[in-house]
Amino acid sequence: MNIGIDQISFYTPYYYLNLAVLAERNGIDPAKYYNGIGQEKIAVPAHDEDIVTMGVNAAAPLLQEHGSSDIDTLLFATESGIDQSKAAAVYAHHLLGLGQNCRCVELKQACYSATAALQLACAYVARKPEKKVLLIASDIARYDLDTAAEATQGAGAVAMLISARPNIAVIAPHSGLYSADIMDFWRPNYRSTPLVDGKYSTVMYLQALEHAWQDYQAQGGRAYQDFSAYCYHLPFSKMGIKAHARLARLNGADPRREDTQDGMQYNRLIGNSYTAALYISLVSLLDYREDLANKHVALFSYGSGCVGEFFALTVCPQYHRHRYRDRHRAMLANRVALDYPAYRRYREVPDGRTGDFFPDKDTPHGCRLEGIKQQQRIYRPA
Ligand code: COA
């Protein structure tokens, strides 16, 4: 059975900070950000956006086009959840107008959980081929101000429909897996920003890649030369370049720029989006490349802590006709740049602890957070 991604689209906030602004404020050469970590801009959510609104805005075009009558499962992957108990999926289910005969759940394992959700969705659809699973991955990456990691912030969401008759890509059954209990990045319940040992996390990312690749080979996966492109989890885009150099070296090959560059175009302009980052890279690849019909694409998913998975997909012949490329490009082109004081204003995130809160209508289109009243979040659908 050819199970895979039937549709995929992404969303990123209306505002961004050009990293040249941060470089000037920090007295740093902007080339460090542009070339050293490979980021140009970072998305900055306004006070009326959160993981739910971003996820709903990513999913809305899919449901507008295809309806929702065959969706009976909504999986929501995130590591910047808004509630320790109630799943973001339940809010999204209501805001998207899905039918009540639907299961909704939130999944967590740092940046990895969207891949777990994808594999679970494929297994479920194998059992119920007449059904579709809506998978949303949505995250806001915020680090402490004035730290090295601040330049690798960002925000975004991706939505996918998983089905037994996919239009975008068939997910291959082989996976290479790796898990290890390490402390490279974590966020205790009492913190709004993570603790991160950035340099250690890049070392562990590469180690997880190596082990997952070896397991992928042991499980009967494809050879390195079989792939027309590679998508990596991108906490910052230079990480993908380092990862591909490592994988190429392991296979006695030279890393080709064209293997990875189109999969990084969007992420360079958005920053880290944790669970969504790998799949925004996939959207970027599909939107930029015209030659991928029937080609194999490799993906490496990494979540600190850590879990890594190496897997592959085969792009469907008619994928061009099912892209949301124009919509994605218009969304990025219409964003608004922030100056440093405005960025700092949006960094202070009211969370309802100190009383009711009704943000300005900063986000002009789509679903938005209308307010927090008596500790309950109130959303306005698109
Ligand atoms: N021009 C071009 N490149 C420059 C430069 C300049 N003027 N100045 C520095 N650089 C390069 C460095 O050589 C280095 O490149 P390399 O990694 O290829 O050696 C790169 O910029 C980063 O600079 P460096 O000073 O080594 O690191 P940093 O202290 O700025 O930290 C991170 C970088 C990525 C570790 C930090 O941003 C971070 O912790 N981010 C979060 C990491 C994360 O998300 N981890 C989760 C993993 S999934």
Side-chain angles (χ1 to χ4, degrees):
M1 204 183 293
N2 285 335
I3 296 164
I5 302 171
D6 189 34
Q7 300 292 327
I8 183 167
S9 83
F10 86 97
Y11 174 85
T12 192
Y14 187 58
Y15 297 101
Y16 71 88
L17 182 72
N18 193 313
L19 287 177
V21 174
L22 192 65
E24 188 183 352
R25 136 96 190 178
N26 293 345
I28 284 176
D29 178 358
K32 172 173 177 177
Y33 296 151
Y34 289 171
N35 305 325
I37 62 169
Q39 289 301 133
E40 286 174 40
K41 297 171 181 173
I42 54 174
V44 180
H47 290 153
D48 58 356
E49 295 195 282
D50 66 13
I51 57 150
V52 170
T53 65
M54 292 195 304
V56 166
N57 289 331
L62 308 187
L63 301 188
Q64 272 155 19
E65 194 169 331
H66 299 279
S68 58
S69 57
D70 45 8
I71 298 171
D72 74 349
T73 301
L74 170 48
L75 304 178
F76 200 117
T78 188
E79 60 174 306
S80 44
I82 48 154
D83 195 290
Q84 288 285 37
S85 175
K86 180 171 173 175
V90 178
Y91 293 99
H93 169 268
H94 169 66
L95 290 162
L96 290 165
L98 298 183
Q100 290 207 300
N101 301 115
C102 184
R103 63 171 68 76
C104 298
V105 71
E106 184 173 310
L107 297 93
K108 177 177 69 186
Q109 179 9 62
C111 303
Y112 166 74
S113 63
T115 302
L118 177 64
Q119 298 293 2
L120 294 173
C122 289
Y124 177 66
V125 170
R127 188 179 158 114
K128 288 265 182 85
E130 73 283 9
K131 296 294 183 191
K132 287 183 181 163
V133 174
L134 175 60
L135 194 174
I136 294 174
S138 180
D139 267 307
I140 297 173
R142 282 195 191 96
Y143 294 96
D144 285 341
L145 295 167
D146 302 322
T147 62
E150 185 181 7
T152 65
Q153 297 178 122
V158 74
M160 297 178 243
L161 276 177
I162 309 305
S163 92
R165 284 169 297 281
N167 283 307
I168 295 288
V170 174
I171 305 291
H174 308 95
S175 272
L177 303 170
Y178 177 74
S179 288
D181 183 359
I182 59 163
M183 298 301 278
D184 59 336
F185 175 112
W186 68 106
R187 182 161 70 86
N189 287 345
Y190 50 83
R191 286 185 61 100
S192 61
T193 52
L195 297 156
V196 55
D197 184 341
K199 296 268 166 70
Y200 178 55
S201 81
T202 61
V203 171
M204 296 315 291
Y205 177 119
L206 296 176
Q207 186 170 307
L209 168 63
E210 202 167 318
H211 285 288
W213 170 255
Q214 283 158 355
D215 189 41
Y216 177 71
Q217 291 301 298
Q219 303 300 324
R222 291 185 178 281
Y224 177 84
Q225 295 76 8
D226 291 350
F227 295 110
S228 297
Y230 290 78
C231 292
Y232 292 93
H233 167 55
L234 297 174
F236 47 97
S237 67
K238 184 76 168 288
M239 190 69 237
I241 294 171
K242 287 179 190 233
H244 196 54
R246 171 70 67 97
L247 192 67
R249 200 168 65 240
L250 266 176
N251 288 280
D254 283 330
R256 297 180 312 163
R257 227 169 105 80
E258 60 267 32
D259 282 348
T260 51
Q261 81 178 354
D262 288 325
M264 294 179 178
Q265 306 271 8
Y266 288 158
N267 303 65
R268 276 186 71 88
L269 306 175
I270 291 170
N272 198 354
S273 54
Y274 293 160
T275 53
L278 170 64
Y279 297 95
I280 291 178
S281 172
L282 175 62
V283 176
S284 180
L285 177 75
L286 295 168
D287 281 0
Y288 274 86
R289 289 264 301 255
E290 303 300 324
D291 62 341
L292 289 175
N294 299 313
K295 298 281 171 50
H296 308 302
V297 174
L299 297 97
F300 176 63
S301 179
Y302 178 77
S304 290
C306 70
V307 179
E309 180 161 345
F310 196 100
F311 64 109
L313 54 78
T314 304
V315 179
C316 296
Q318 71 284 18
Y319 77 101
H320 308 95
R321 284 197 275 122
H322 298 275
R323 296 184 292 198
Y324 292 87
R325 185 181 61 181
D326 295 346
R327 189 186 178 97
H328 295 148
R329 295 208 174 149
M331 176 177 65
L332 288 169
N334 291 330
R335 294 190 302 172
V336 170
L338 298 176
D339 60 15
Y340 188 77
Y343 156 67
R344 285 295 294 264
R345 214 167 42 247
Y346 285 130
R347 270 298 315 258
E348 307 303 321
V349 189
D351 60 8
R353 249 179 287 200
T354 52
D356 295 352
F357 160 68
F358 291 90
D360 292 338
K361 189 176 185 303
D362 284 324
T363 302
H365 316 290
C367 175
R368 54 182 292 275
L369 176 69
E370 200 164 63
I372 302 177
K373 190 174 180 194
Q374 293 173 354
Q375 318 247 3
Q376 297 181 22
R377 296 174 96 84
I378 304 161
Y379 292 101
R380 166 130 329 229

